[in-house]
Amino acid sequence: MPETLDDAPAPYCGTRLIRVGYVAVGLSLFVAYLISTFPYSTTLTKVLAPMGLEVSSTSQSASFPFGAQLSGVRLISTRPASGGLIVESPAVTIVPAFLSMLTMHPGVRVKAAFYDGVVNVTLRPNRRGTAISYDLDSVELARQQLWRIPGASAAGALSGSGDLLLSPDDIAEKGEGVLSAAGLTFTSALASTPIRLGEGHSKFKLDQGKLTIEQLTTSGGDLTLTAEGTIQLAQDPGDSELAIQFTLSTTPGAASQLGLLLAILPHPPGPEPYHLTGTLNAPRIS
């Protein structure tokens, strides 16, 4: 009858367990070394390069149990039309996306403190561009720098999730997502007080550089907005073409506060829609 481990002499069993322990410790150290020496910032820049973006940070330290903590992170556009700082974060945790490493397309998972909220993003390069999965939680609109409206500002906590495929040629090749906003307000020189929009909800799709707004609604504010339409994205965001239809309605108490703003509209708010055309830099309402 073959000798089993239970039948083996005690010294043999002890030696075998010690060898197994050495192997386990060795593998653990190897994995720890691999994770600690992973080129996080370089990989993140490589993943974002097809989108005309690069990343810089002031320092990097280990993040338990694995990954790295980057401080002073800045996301910069390298495109001539919109070059410069886009967003920045004081603290970013970044780890390898292990599944993408096995496919020889190293990706990263990022968790960032972002305008008083948190953003979780997974980025993976592929032959068509960069695949992105994102989740936003309570990002404050008043602090964002992605877009600015001359003479106006917005505030509110933005949350949402979605998936995108971005490429150098079509900017936004494929994608879809949902966004919501709490405590949404809009300030303009044409209104005597901030305009309360309340809660906002939207659903969108991206296809070959065209953003389709399938649904956009607000509720619980002074002004109620519903909208749908498309935005043809351009390399220079200001040149993106608008084709949006929207309706407005106001509460009786807010009509006097919004008198100047409503007076410049083509017709009074109601069921008849407005049409927003032109570009982001030069919009037209009819």
Side-chain angles (χ1 to χ4, degrees):
M1 179 179 295
E3 184 181 272
T4 65
L5 185 60
D6 291 337
D7 299 327
Y12 174 79
C13 292
T15 301
R16 187 170 186 180
L17 290 175
I18 290 173
R19 290 176 178 174
V20 171
Y22 282 150
V23 171
V25 171
L27 288 175
S28 299
L29 292 174
F30 174 74
V31 171
Y33 172 79
L34 179 64
I35 293 172
S36 64
T37 59
F38 186 83
Y40 297 100
S41 193
T42 301
T43 299
L44 186 56
T45 294
K46 180 179 179 181
V47 169
L48 294 174
M51 302 155 55
L53 301 171
E54 66 179 24
V55 173
S56 67
S57 62
T58 57
S59 64
Q60 175 177 317
S61 59
S63 177
F64 182 82
F66 53 80
Q69 178 88 22
L70 307 182
S71 300
V73 178
R74 294 163 58 90
L75 181 64
I76 301 168
S77 173
T78 59
R79 298 183 187 277
S82 57
L85 177 66
I86 297 178
V87 296
E88 56 185 336
S89 172
V92 172
T93 300
I94 179 170
V95 301
F98 295 107
L99 181 60
S100 65
M101 292 176 67
L102 295 176
T103 62
M104 303 306 292
H105 292 288
V108 291
R109 294 171 55 203
V110 178
K111 181 178 182 180
F114 191 64
Y115 301 136
D116 297 333
V118 176
V119 177
N120 289 281
V121 182
T122 300
L123 304 102
R124 296 185 180 92
N126 60 36
R127 59 183 180 81
R128 297 169 61 188
T130 303
I132 301 175
S133 298
Y134 69 88
D135 183 86
L136 313 177
D137 185 16
S138 301
V139 174
E140 180 51 57
L141 286 173
R143 298 192 56 201
Q144 62 80 29
Q145 302 175 31
L146 292 175
W147 71 88
R148 296 292 182 188
I149 304 174
S153 62
L158 184 68
S159 301
S161 61
D163 298 287
L164 305 173
L165 175 61
L166 307 186
S167 71
D169 299 326
D170 295 318
I171 305 175
E173 188 168 327
K174 291 286 183 182
E176 60 183 2
V178 294
L179 292 172
S180 63
L184 190 60
T185 62
F186 183 78
T187 302
S188 170
L190 300 175
S192 58
T193 61
I195 304 168
R196 295 189 308 110
L197 296 175
E199 307 296 314
H201 301 277
S202 66
K203 182 179 180 182
F204 67 89
K205 281 188 176 181
L206 285 161
D207 185 27
Q208 305 300 314
K210 178 179 286 188
L211 169 65
T212 299
I213 302 171
E214 298 184 324
Q215 176 190 7
L216 192 158
T217 61
T218 67
S219 60
D222 302 322
L223 190 66
T224 299
L225 167 71
T226 64
E228 60 181 21
T230 63
I231 302 176
Q232 184 64 53
L233 303 177
Q235 294 286 350
D236 183 346
D239 293 333
S240 299
E241 298 180 2
L242 307 171
I244 298 173
Q245 179 176 288
F246 67 95
T247 61
L248 296 174
S249 62
T250 63
T251 60
S256 59
Q257 300 173 357
L258 304 178
L260 182 58
L261 176 62
L262 299 179
I264 67 174
L265 295 175
H267 58 79
E272 184 180 353
Y274 300 96
H275 298 275
L276 179 63
T277 56
T279 66
L280 288 176
N281 282 339
R284 299 188 299 271
I285 299 179
S286 60

